[in-house]
Amino acid sequence: MEKDINKEGFKHLYSGSEVRVIILKGLLEDIGIEALVQNDYQSGITAGFAGGTVNTIRLKVHSSDLEKAQLILDDFIQNQQ
């Protein structure tokens, strides 16, 4: 059964460049964790004003998946160095 996708209950997991966020989102989705990307910069441009920065894209996961997602994030960061 699919989770109700709304912004309620989603917690911040990671902030970084768009490329890293997209890679991490894919890793999470591969193991069944739904992730939302919050890109204030792109949203601002679309709306006609600037907001946020190019390198500050946020990745959020549902609070029930946060602990499992944190393990994936830790491994992701360790392997990026």
Side-chain angles (χ1 to χ4, degrees):
M1 175 178 236
E2 233 177 273
K3 290 180 189 169
D4 179 25
I5 305 302
N6 62 40
K7 293 181 183 177
E8 300 286 324
F10 277 79
K11 303 291 183 185
H12 177 266
L13 176 68
Y14 176 78
S15 294
S17 71
E18 187 171 12
V19 171
R20 292 185 87 184
V21 167
I22 289 170
I23 292 168
L24 183 54
K25 182 177 189 272
L27 292 172
L28 293 170
E29 289 177 346
D30 284 347
I31 62 166
I33 296 176
E34 188 75 40
L36 296 176
V37 174
Q38 184 179 357
N39 185 338
D40 293 338
Y41 182 75
Q42 187 61 44
S43 296
I45 289 172
T46 302
F49 57 90
T53 64
V54 177
N55 290 320
T56 308
I57 315 299
R58 289 187 271 301
L59 186 65
K60 297 182 176 193
V61 297
H62 196 271
S63 57
S64 63
D65 293 323
L66 191 57
E67 189 174 323
K68 189 175 179 183
Q70 186 64 51
L71 295 173
I72 301 302
L73 173 61
D74 293 344
D75 186 56
F76 174 75
I77 290 171
Q78 184 177 16
N79 289 318
Q80 291 296 307
Q81 298 178 13

